[in-house]
């Protein structure tokens, strides 16, 4: 499991400076709709939130990714993910790390 986490960290660290990361449920949905062929990996949070709307979005994103042969990983350590990705958008607003896409 450690090797998977390390490999994921390397992928994210190299994709971030290239602008190949989309962060946020709504932004990811827009990106998937606009150009699914450029998406190579979808990260979904495994937190225990009981937000029904968020769970519906997760279900739809997972189904779309499966239909378009996009790899999906469930991520449980959102704190580490925030460290890797910087954690805040320009302007100081925290990132929505519930869904992260890696594109080419």
């Amino acid at each position: 499991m450690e090797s998977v986490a390390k490999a994921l960290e390397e992928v994210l660290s190299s994709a971030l400076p290239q602008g190949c990361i989309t962060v946020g449920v709504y932004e990811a949905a827009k990106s998937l709709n606009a150009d699914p062929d450029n998406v190579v990996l979808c990260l979904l949070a495994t937190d225990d939130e009981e937000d029904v709307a968020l769970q519906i979005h997760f279900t739809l994103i997972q189904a779309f990714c499966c239909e378009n042969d996009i790899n999906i990983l469930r991520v449980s350590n959102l704190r580490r993910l925030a460290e890797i990705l910087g954690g805040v958008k320009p302007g100081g607003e925290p990132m929505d790390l519930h869904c992260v896409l890696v594109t080419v």
Side-chain angles (χ1 to χ4, degrees):
M1 192 63 145
E2 240 178 75
S3 61
V4 172
K6 185 68 176 167
L8 178 58
E9 185 174 336
E10 289 176 18
V11 166
L12 293 174
S13 295
S14 65
L16 187 60
Q18 297 176 27
C20 296
I21 300 282
T22 301
V23 178
V25 173
Y26 298 109
E27 291 83 359
K30 287 190 276 185
S31 181
L32 286 167
N33 185 49
D35 197 2
D37 293 334
N38 281 339
V39 179
V40 294
L41 179 63
C42 176
L43 306 177
L44 294 173
T46 58
D47 58 351
D48 296 326
E49 281 194 38
E50 294 188 24
D51 183 349
V52 175
L54 186 60
Q55 294 306 319
I56 291 170
H57 283 292
F58 277 5
T59 302
L60 293 172
I61 288 171
Q62 282 180 313
F64 189 90
C65 288
C66 288
E67 285 180 14
N68 289 279
D69 296 321
I70 298 169
N71 296 310
I72 302 169
L73 282 177
R74 298 297 297 225
V75 179
S76 59
N77 192 345
L78 291 182
R79 183 176 300 167
R80 181 66 188 129
L81 189 58
E83 289 173 8
I84 295 167
L85 297 177
V88 292
K89 293 180 183 177
E93 183 180 334
M95 290 183 179
D96 169 16
L97 296 175
H98 289 99
C99 183
V100 176
L101 299 179
V102 179
T103 59
V104 290

